[in-house]
Amino acid sequence: MADDGVQATADTAMARARAAQEAWAARSVASRVRKLKAAGEAILGGAETLAEILVEETGKPLGEAYAGDIVGVGDLFTYWCGHGATHLGPRKARIPALDMPGKKGRVEREPVGVVAVISPWNYPVALPMRVMVPALLAGNAVVFKPSEITPRCGVWLAERLQEHLGEVVQVLEGDGAMGAALVEAGADLIHFTGSTATGAKVAARGAALGIPVEMELGGKDPAIVLDDAMLDRTARGIAWGVVHNAGQDCASIERVLVHADVADRFLPLLVEAMNATADQVPELVTARQKAIVVAQIEDAIAQGGRVLCGGLPEGDAPVGPTLFTDLPRDAAMWREESFGPVAVVEVCADDEALLEAANDCTYGLGASVWSGDVPRACALGKRVRSGMLWINNHAFTGAVPDLPWVGRGGSGHGITSSPEALLHLTRPRVVVLDKAKAPEPWWYPYGPSLEGLMRAVVTRQRSGGLMATLSTLRALMARNKTLSGR
Ligand code: NAD
């Protein structure tokens, strides 16, 4: 339980967001789009400042700050401001015309209310924005808790949004205690992105409070290299997949599974591609994260693992691009999320052995298959337990707003981006209009005419055709006669 001051701060932010939400939701979608567009322009207009803060807080190279965080945010505003109204528009429902005459139905989407957005530090701009932009567009308010490691990015973004949207955006600075207080503050939905361990705590508390929790958690993605892969491109792609953002990506490649028939040719290429990244890899963002990765390397060495490149850093040196092979599956580097520029390599005899290795994992975020034979790669890849499958690439789709980012198993079930994200950021409202003048066929009095009609409907459902339709119409007329004779 957070202390009283922290809880009061979270409660105040929640109350302000709630007070502002109704008026925000009452605006037309077009008006919300206009406001969001202006906020998007302000954010992109300040891209240089934001990039500077990003680099200072995370240590990312400037190019990666733009590629991994800022450019995607531009696409996000373009997508949601351009297509959001269509995705939020009502859906016409089909109501059976014969047995329920005179009715029209539609399903509208309305905001859930206040969404609590709890974010990690590894993409401190892209990750919260891809939840907040569609949430706000849908008419929700948001209370945003950025990571304590990247507070300035979070506050800078929230201020740009507040300049154009007002109190409907609230920001809470602080560590896990503030996150826990936000969970207690009574949101209508919690969207949590972070580690599997914290996610479990948030989900348990959400369940006790009756608040739905969307969870985007850790990963341990496999990359499967088949014997017909384009080896040079695959090596470069996998090296990027392991090392980008110093491996601090929920969907970084942490297990490289290689078909035995190409291992001799592929592994030297992979090692070369990994070594070529050495001077581009930033330091891990916290000492705590470095200690986790170093402990995994020490454990791998103790378990008899063979270093293909990198290894234990000397003294204060950063963890470099590292590959281990010949590791038992119970080694920490095989089983637990590393979140560093390190991966395990396993050589497997055939496609079934590759699949077995890929699925020997509790996480299920992304997976990639690298092959010249796309149907074969798809067939194998669809048997991997993951939320996302990439053929001949890995993980870049986090920046594509029309594709859901989604996991399963220990990676959580949350969805961000794409129309599918609106399934939890909104709730369906059913609206039915009835123009019928006569009493309904299923109302009282019951009796043979109702039974006859229902039997005719079932016969028509089973067999269809003109005769069955005519029988149903006859039964309907008989029923109407009974009803009007009352
Ligand atoms: P974390 O779980 O330590 O923290 C995430 C957020 O939760 C932070 O804002 C933190 O302050 C807050 N928090 C901590 N304790 C809390 C509590 N008891 N109640 C509520 N909030 C609390 O994670 P991290 O170290 O910041 O981020 C790294 C993790 O995030 C990795 O496991 C990574 O795989 C995962 N991640 C997942 C995705 C995805 O889309 N699946 C994306 C990015 C990162």
Side-chain angles (χ1 to χ4, degrees):
M1 211 46 183
D3 76 38
D4 288 353
V6 171
Q7 191 59 59
T9 305
D11 291 346
T12 303
M14 183 59 64
R16 286 199 179 131
R18 199 167 285 293
Q21 191 264 331
E22 202 175 322
W24 175 246
R27 286 173 176 271
S28 66
V29 179
S31 144
R32 295 199 294 265
V33 162
R34 275 196 296 278
K35 296 262 174 197
L36 276 164
K37 256 190 184 162
E41 279 160 21
I43 289 170
L44 291 184
E48 289 292 325
T49 310
L50 182 58
E52 245 170 60
I53 303 174
L54 253 167
V55 170
E56 277 169 28
E57 288 195 321
T58 65
K60 286 176 203 237
L62 184 64
E64 210 162 86
Y66 268 100
D69 272 283
I70 296 174
V71 169
V73 170
D75 288 340
L76 199 68
F77 277 101
T78 305
Y79 176 82
W80 285 109
C81 292
H83 306 285
T86 309
H87 297 319
L88 285 166
R91 176 174 75 75
K92 198 172 153 200
R94 294 185 185 87
I95 299 181
L98 254 187
D99 39 320
M100 296 178 191
K103 299 170 191 17
K104 275 190 182 157
R106 63 174 187 268
V107 182
E108 298 174 350
R109 302 222 67 95
E110 56 183 34
V112 292
V114 183
V115 180
V117 179
I118 302 177
S119 276
W121 46 265
N122 58 336
Y123 294 98
V125 173
L127 291 177
M129 290 304 281
R130 71 190 195 198
V131 182
M132 291 199 289
V133 172
L136 289 162
L137 182 73
N140 296 289
V142 297
V143 183
F144 169 34
K145 211 299 273 169
S147 166
E148 57 274 34
I149 297 165
T150 51
R152 287 172 56 219
C153 281
V155 170
W156 190 92
L157 284 173
E159 284 173 354
R160 300 293 82 70
L161 289 167
Q162 283 165 340
E163 279 163 12
H164 296 275
L165 279 67
E167 296 250 298
V168 81
V169 176
Q170 297 290 320
V171 61
L172 287 172
E173 288 185 73
D175 59 12
M178 184 58 85
L182 176 55
V183 170
E184 298 296 323
D188 298 290
L189 171 76
I190 299 168
H191 192 111
F192 173 82
T193 310
S195 63
T196 300
T198 312
K201 286 188 216 162
V202 172
R205 204 51 209 140
L209 295 166
I211 304 173
V213 181
E214 284 284 310
M215 292 198 294
E216 309 251 13
L217 308 178
K220 188 125 197 101
D221 284 10
I224 299 175
V225 183
L226 296 184
D227 51 359
D228 56 0
M230 286 181 283
L231 297 185
D232 186 50
R233 183 176 192 279
T234 301
R236 294 168 72 120
I238 290 182
W240 179 84
V242 175
V243 167
H244 71 279
N245 206 21
Q248 300 163 122
D249 186 317
C250 51
S252 63
I253 296 171
E254 298 205 353
R255 296 173 300 142
V256 185
L257 311 171
V258 186
H259 196 293
D261 289 355
V262 285
D264 285 351
R265 283 187 292 138
F266 176 68
L267 290 180
L269 292 173
L270 180 60
V271 168
E272 191 187 329
M274 290 283 287
N275 284 334
T277 69
D279 61 348
Q280 315 249 315
V281 184
E283 177 63 284
L284 291 164
V285 98
T286 60
R288 188 172 151 264
Q289 190 53 42
K290 185 173 179 185
I292 293 171
V293 179
V294 166
Q296 286 197 359
I297 294 175
E298 285 169 345
D299 172 71
I301 293 167
Q303 302 237 27
R306 187 159 57 86
V307 179
L308 293 176
C309 61
L312 200 59
E314 279 178 24
D316 287 341
V319 178
T322 294
L323 292 173
F324 270 87
T325 192
D326 299 338
L327 264 188
R329 296 259 182 105
D330 59 358
M333 199 183 283
W334 229 107
R335 304 228 76 82
E336 292 160 21
E337 187 177 38
S338 302
F339 227 53
V342 305
V344 172
V345 173
E346 187 166 306
V347 176
C348 302
D350 54 26
D351 288 15
E352 289 304 313
L354 287 161
L355 182 67
E356 184 278 327
N359 281 335
D360 188 12
C361 186
T362 54
Y363 291 101
L365 194 56
S368 56
V369 183
W370 302 73
S371 166
D373 180 345
V374 171
R376 174 187 172 200
C378 281
L380 188 73
K382 282 189 191 174
R383 293 168 66 203
V384 177
R385 284 192 296 273
S386 71
M388 296 171 286
L389 168 66
W390 302 283
I391 307 297
N392 293 323
N393 218 317
H394 201 99
F396 70 99
T397 55
V400 180
D402 201 30
L403 283 173
W405 188 261
V406 57
R408 59 193 278 187
S411 295
H413 54 266
I415 301 174
T416 36
S417 293
S418 79
E420 284 77 11
L422 295 175
L423 294 174
H424 67 264
L425 294 172
T426 62
R427 66 168 73 84
R429 156 86 67 188
V430 172
V431 179
V432 174
L433 312 174
D434 196 341
K435 287 195 177 154
K437 301 265 186 304
E440 295 296 356
W442 60 87
W443 289 355
Y444 291 111
Y446 294 168
S449 66
L450 176 63
E451 291 154 20
L453 171 61
M454 291 301 136
R455 285 202 179 94
V457 169
V458 172
T459 305
R460 189 174 157 274
Q461 286 169 337
R462 286 177 58 205
S463 55
L466 186 61
M467 295 311 288
T469 303
L470 287 175
S471 301
T472 311
L473 281 172
R474 268 198 298 276
L476 189 60
M477 278 155 55
R479 177 61 178 159
N480 282 343
K481 211 164 155 191
T482 306
L483 290 170
S484 59
R486 273 190 89 196

Short mmCIF file of all heavy atoms in Angstrom, two decimals, residues 443-475:
data_model
loop_
_atom_site.label_atom_id
_atom_site.label_comp_id
_atom_site.label_asym_id
_atom_site.label_seq_id
_atom_site.Cartn_x
_atom_site.Cartn_y
_atom_site.Cartn_z
N TRP A 443 -44.57 -12.66 -27.79
CA TRP A 443 -45.24 -12.20 -26.57
C TRP A 443 -46.43 -13.11 -26.26
O TRP A 443 -46.84 -13.94 -27.09
CB TRP A 443 -45.73 -10.74 -26.75
CG TRP A 443 -44.61 -9.72 -26.80
CD1 TRP A 443 -43.29 -9.95 -26.62
CD2 TRP A 443 -44.73 -8.32 -27.10
NE1 TRP A 443 -42.57 -8.80 -26.75
CE2 TRP A 443 -43.42 -7.76 -27.05
CE3 TRP A 443 -45.80 -7.46 -27.39
CZ2 TRP A 443 -43.16 -6.41 -27.29
CZ3 TRP A 443 -45.53 -6.11 -27.62
CH2 TRP A 443 -44.22 -5.59 -27.57
N TYR A 444 -47.05 -12.90 -25.06
CA TYR A 444 -48.24 -13.69 -24.70
C TYR A 444 -49.39 -13.32 -25.62
O TYR A 444 -49.44 -12.17 -26.10
CB TYR A 444 -48.64 -13.41 -23.24
CG TYR A 444 -47.64 -13.95 -22.25
CD1 TYR A 444 -46.86 -13.09 -21.48
CD2 TYR A 444 -47.49 -15.33 -22.08
CE1 TYR A 444 -45.94 -13.59 -20.58
CE2 TYR A 444 -46.57 -15.83 -21.16
CZ TYR A 444 -45.79 -14.96 -20.42
OH TYR A 444 -44.88 -15.45 -19.53
N PRO A 445 -50.36 -14.21 -25.86
CA PRO A 445 -50.50 -15.54 -25.27
C PRO A 445 -49.65 -16.59 -26.01
O PRO A 445 -49.52 -16.53 -27.23
CB PRO A 445 -51.99 -15.84 -25.47
CG PRO A 445 -52.34 -15.11 -26.73
CD PRO A 445 -51.48 -13.88 -26.76
N TYR A 446 -49.07 -17.52 -25.24
CA TYR A 446 -48.41 -18.67 -25.85
C TYR A 446 -49.48 -19.63 -26.36
O TYR A 446 -50.66 -19.45 -26.11
CB TYR A 446 -47.54 -19.38 -24.81
CG TYR A 446 -46.34 -18.57 -24.32
CD1 TYR A 446 -45.61 -18.98 -23.20
CD2 TYR A 446 -45.96 -17.40 -24.96
CE1 TYR A 446 -44.52 -18.25 -22.76
CE2 TYR A 446 -44.87 -16.66 -24.51
CZ TYR A 446 -44.16 -17.08 -23.41
OH TYR A 446 -43.09 -16.37 -22.97
N GLY A 447 -49.08 -20.65 -27.08
CA GLY A 447 -50.06 -21.62 -27.58
C GLY A 447 -49.63 -22.17 -28.92
O GLY A 447 -48.48 -21.95 -29.35
N PRO A 448 -50.52 -22.88 -29.60
CA PRO A 448 -50.15 -23.58 -30.84
C PRO A 448 -49.61 -22.65 -31.93
O PRO A 448 -48.70 -23.04 -32.68
CB PRO A 448 -51.45 -24.24 -31.30
CG PRO A 448 -52.34 -24.26 -30.09
CD PRO A 448 -51.92 -23.13 -29.21
N SER A 449 -50.14 -21.42 -32.04
CA SER A 449 -49.66 -20.57 -33.15
C SER A 449 -48.21 -20.16 -32.92
O SER A 449 -47.43 -20.06 -33.87
CB SER A 449 -50.56 -19.34 -33.31
OG SER A 449 -50.46 -18.50 -32.17
N LEU A 450 -47.82 -19.94 -31.65
CA LEU A 450 -46.41 -19.61 -31.37
C LEU A 450 -45.53 -20.84 -31.65
O LEU A 450 -44.48 -20.74 -32.29
CB LEU A 450 -46.23 -19.17 -29.91
CG LEU A 450 -44.77 -18.91 -29.51
CD1 LEU A 450 -44.16 -17.76 -30.31
CD2 LEU A 450 -44.66 -18.60 -28.01
N GLU A 451 -46.00 -22.01 -31.18
CA GLU A 451 -45.20 -23.24 -31.39
C GLU A 451 -45.04 -23.49 -32.89
O GLU A 451 -43.96 -23.85 -33.37
CB GLU A 451 -45.89 -24.42 -30.71
CG GLU A 451 -45.85 -24.31 -29.18
CD GLU A 451 -47.00 -25.06 -28.50
OE1 GLU A 451 -47.59 -25.95 -29.14
OE2 GLU A 451 -47.31 -24.70 -27.34
N GLY A 452 -46.16 -23.29 -33.65
CA GLY A 452 -46.10 -23.52 -35.11
C GLY A 452 -45.10 -22.59 -35.76
O GLY A 452 -44.30 -23.00 -36.60
N LEU A 453 -45.13 -21.32 -35.34
CA LEU A 453 -44.19 -20.35 -35.92
C LEU A 453 -42.74 -20.74 -35.60
O LEU A 453 -41.87 -20.74 -36.47
CB LEU A 453 -44.50 -18.95 -35.38
CG LEU A 453 -43.47 -17.87 -35.75
CD1 LEU A 453 -43.37 -17.70 -37.27
CD2 LEU A 453 -43.82 -16.54 -35.09
N MET A 454 -42.48 -21.08 -34.34
CA MET A 454 -41.10 -21.39 -33.94
C MET A 454 -40.58 -22.64 -34.68
O MET A 454 -39.43 -22.70 -35.09
CB MET A 454 -41.01 -21.57 -32.42
CG MET A 454 -41.23 -20.28 -31.66
SD MET A 454 -39.99 -19.03 -32.12
CE MET A 454 -40.98 -17.58 -32.30
N ARG A 455 -41.48 -23.64 -34.84
CA ARG A 455 -41.07 -24.85 -35.59
C ARG A 455 -40.74 -24.47 -37.04
O ARG A 455 -39.75 -24.95 -37.61
CB ARG A 455 -42.18 -25.89 -35.56
CG ARG A 455 -42.30 -26.58 -34.22
CD ARG A 455 -43.01 -27.94 -34.35
NE ARG A 455 -43.08 -28.55 -33.05
CZ ARG A 455 -44.12 -28.45 -32.22
NH1 ARG A 455 -45.22 -27.78 -32.58
NH2 ARG A 455 -44.09 -29.02 -31.03
N ALA A 456 -41.57 -23.60 -37.62
CA ALA A 456 -41.32 -23.20 -39.01
C ALA A 456 -39.99 -22.46 -39.12
O ALA A 456 -39.22 -22.65 -40.07
CB ALA A 456 -42.46 -22.31 -39.50
N VAL A 457 -39.70 -21.61 -38.12
CA VAL A 457 -38.42 -20.88 -38.15
C VAL A 457 -37.25 -21.87 -38.10
O VAL A 457 -36.27 -21.75 -38.86
CB VAL A 457 -38.33 -19.89 -36.96
CG1 VAL A 457 -36.93 -19.33 -36.81
CG2 VAL A 457 -39.33 -18.75 -37.15
N VAL A 458 -37.36 -22.88 -37.21
CA VAL A 458 -36.26 -23.85 -37.08
C VAL A 458 -36.10 -24.63 -38.39
O VAL A 458 -34.96 -24.86 -38.86
CB VAL A 458 -36.51 -24.80 -35.88
CG1 VAL A 458 -35.49 -25.94 -35.88
CG2 VAL A 458 -36.42 -24.02 -34.58
N THR A 459 -37.24 -25.03 -39.00
CA THR A 459 -37.14 -25.77 -40.27
C THR A 459 -36.44 -24.92 -41.32
O THR A 459 -35.56 -25.38 -42.05
CB THR A 459 -38.57 -26.14 -40.77
OG1 THR A 459 -39.21 -26.85 -39.74
CG2 THR A 459 -38.51 -26.97 -42.04
N ARG A 460 -36.79 -23.62 -41.34
CA ARG A 460 -36.15 -22.73 -42.31
C ARG A 460 -34.65 -22.57 -42.00
O ARG A 460 -33.81 -22.55 -42.90
CB ARG A 460 -36.84 -21.37 -42.27
CG ARG A 460 -36.41 -20.47 -43.38
CD ARG A 460 -37.19 -19.20 -43.42
NE ARG A 460 -36.40 -18.20 -44.10
CZ ARG A 460 -35.49 -17.44 -43.52
NH1 ARG A 460 -35.29 -17.53 -42.23
NH2 ARG A 460 -34.79 -16.58 -44.22
N GLN A 461 -34.32 -22.46 -40.70
CA GLN A 461 -32.89 -22.34 -40.33
C GLN A 461 -32.11 -23.57 -40.79
O GLN A 461 -30.97 -23.47 -41.22
CB GLN A 461 -32.75 -22.19 -38.80
CG GLN A 461 -33.15 -20.82 -38.28
CD GLN A 461 -33.25 -20.78 -36.76
OE1 GLN A 461 -33.43 -21.81 -36.11
NE2 GLN A 461 -33.17 -19.59 -36.20
N ARG A 462 -32.77 -24.74 -40.68
CA ARG A 462 -32.06 -25.99 -41.03
C ARG A 462 -31.93 -26.15 -42.53
O ARG A 462 -30.87 -26.51 -43.04
CB ARG A 462 -32.80 -27.20 -40.46
CG ARG A 462 -32.62 -27.33 -38.95
CD ARG A 462 -33.42 -28.50 -38.42
NE ARG A 462 -33.05 -29.74 -39.06
CZ ARG A 462 -33.83 -30.80 -39.18
NH1 ARG A 462 -35.07 -30.75 -38.70
NH2 ARG A 462 -33.41 -31.89 -39.76
N SER A 463 -33.04 -25.90 -43.27
CA SER A 463 -33.02 -26.28 -44.68
C SER A 463 -33.00 -25.08 -45.63
O SER A 463 -32.59 -25.21 -46.78
CB SER A 463 -34.23 -27.16 -44.99
OG SER A 463 -35.40 -26.47 -44.60
N GLY A 464 -33.46 -23.92 -45.18
CA GLY A 464 -33.52 -22.75 -46.06
C GLY A 464 -34.49 -22.99 -47.20
O GLY A 464 -35.34 -23.89 -47.15
N GLY A 465 -34.41 -22.21 -48.25
CA GLY A 465 -35.21 -22.43 -49.46
C GLY A 465 -36.54 -21.71 -49.41
O GLY A 465 -37.02 -21.28 -48.36
N LEU A 466 -37.17 -21.63 -50.61
CA LEU A 466 -38.40 -20.87 -50.79
C LEU A 466 -39.55 -21.47 -50.01
O LEU A 466 -40.33 -20.75 -49.35
CB LEU A 466 -38.71 -20.82 -52.30
CG LEU A 466 -39.90 -19.94 -52.68
CD1 LEU A 466 -39.67 -18.49 -52.29
CD2 LEU A 466 -40.16 -20.03 -54.19
N MET A 467 -39.69 -22.83 -50.07
CA MET A 467 -40.84 -23.47 -49.42
C MET A 467 -40.80 -23.21 -47.91
O MET A 467 -41.83 -22.91 -47.30
CB MET A 467 -40.83 -25.00 -49.68
CG MET A 467 -41.02 -25.38 -51.14
SD MET A 467 -42.44 -24.53 -51.90
CE MET A 467 -43.79 -25.36 -51.11
N ALA A 468 -39.62 -23.33 -47.33
CA ALA A 468 -39.50 -23.12 -45.87
C ALA A 468 -39.81 -21.67 -45.52
O ALA A 468 -40.44 -21.39 -44.50
CB ALA A 468 -38.09 -23.49 -45.41
N THR A 469 -39.40 -20.73 -46.39
CA THR A 469 -39.69 -19.31 -46.14
C THR A 469 -41.20 -19.07 -46.21
O THR A 469 -41.77 -18.37 -45.36
CB THR A 469 -38.95 -18.43 -47.17
OG1 THR A 469 -37.57 -18.72 -47.08
CG2 THR A 469 -39.17 -16.94 -46.90
N LEU A 470 -41.84 -19.68 -47.23
CA LEU A 470 -43.30 -19.51 -47.35
C LEU A 470 -44.01 -20.09 -46.13
O LEU A 470 -44.95 -19.50 -45.60
CB LEU A 470 -43.80 -20.19 -48.63
CG LEU A 470 -43.43 -19.43 -49.93
CD1 LEU A 470 -43.84 -20.22 -51.16
CD2 LEU A 470 -44.07 -18.05 -49.93
N SER A 471 -43.55 -21.28 -45.66
CA SER A 471 -44.16 -21.89 -44.47
C SER A 471 -44.02 -20.96 -43.27
O SER A 471 -44.93 -20.81 -42.46
CB SER A 471 -43.48 -23.21 -44.11
OG SER A 471 -43.59 -24.08 -45.16
N THR A 472 -42.85 -20.33 -43.15
CA THR A 472 -42.62 -19.42 -42.01
C THR A 472 -43.57 -18.22 -42.10
O THR A 472 -44.17 -17.81 -41.10
CB THR A 472 -41.16 -18.93 -42.00
OG1 THR A 472 -40.31 -20.05 -42.15
CG2 THR A 472 -40.81 -18.21 -40.72
N LEU A 473 -43.72 -17.68 -43.32
CA LEU A 473 -44.64 -16.54 -43.49
C LEU A 473 -46.07 -16.92 -43.13
O LEU A 473 -46.78 -16.18 -42.46
CB LEU A 473 -44.57 -16.03 -44.93
CG LEU A 473 -43.36 -15.13 -45.25
CD1 LEU A 473 -43.28 -14.84 -46.74
CD2 LEU A 473 -43.44 -13.83 -44.46
N ARG A 474 -46.47 -18.14 -43.56
CA ARG A 474 -47.83 -18.62 -43.23
C ARG A 474 -47.99 -18.73 -41.71
O ARG A 474 -48.99 -18.29 -41.14
CB ARG A 474 -48.09 -19.99 -43.90
CG ARG A 474 -48.76 -19.83 -45.28
CD ARG A 474 -49.40 -21.14 -45.73
NE ARG A 474 -48.44 -22.20 -45.87
CZ ARG A 474 -47.70 -22.40 -46.96
NH1 ARG A 474 -47.82 -21.62 -48.02
NH2 ARG A 474 -46.84 -23.39 -47.01
N ALA A 475 -46.97 -19.31 -41.06
CA ALA A 475 -47.03 -19.48 -39.59
C ALA A 475 -47.05 -18.11 -38.90
O ALA A 475 -47.72 -17.91 -37.89
CB ALA A 475 -45.83 -20.29 -39.12
#
